[in-house]
Amino acid sequence: MSNQIEYLNNNIARLSKIVASGLYIPAQGNNDSGDEWETYSPYGMGEKMPKASIIAHAGALIENAKALSVELSK
């Protein structure tokens, strides 16, 4: 499995947990992914997020799923 596919799988799993629970779950591992979307989060581990943040994470989940679909079709 390519690094990009593995990265997307891991990110989709994390984003799915966040959207389903409404709790912040930080990314695991180092910042060598080259992910230009990685930003500082004002939330602590397991902290309840406001609805707008959950909606934003749902959007990111959709975009990651689209990117995975593209990678898998190559």
Side-chain angles (χ1 to χ4, degrees), residues 39-58:
T39 57
Y40 166 78
S41 176
Y43 311 110
M45 173 68 170
E47 185 176 339
K48 184 73 173 164
M49 295 174 23
K51 185 176 181 178
S53 291
I54 296 169
I55 291 169
H57 279 79

Side-chain angles (χ1 to χ4, degrees), residues 3 5 7-8 12 17 19 21 23 25 27 29-30 33 40 44 46 49 51 53-57 59-60 63 67 70:
N3 287 339
I5 291 172
Y7 169 77
L8 289 167
I12 288 169
K17 291 174 189 173
V19 172
S21 70
L23 303 176
I25 302 167
N30 59 25
S33 64
Y40 166 78
M49 295 174 23
K51 185 176 181 178
S53 291
I54 296 169
I55 291 169
H57 279 79
E63 292 304 315
V70 169

Side-chain angles (χ1 to χ4, degrees), residues 10-21:
N10 291 337
N11 211 33
I12 288 169
R14 183 180 72 87
L15 289 167
S16 295
K17 291 174 189 173
I18 290 172
V19 172
S21 70

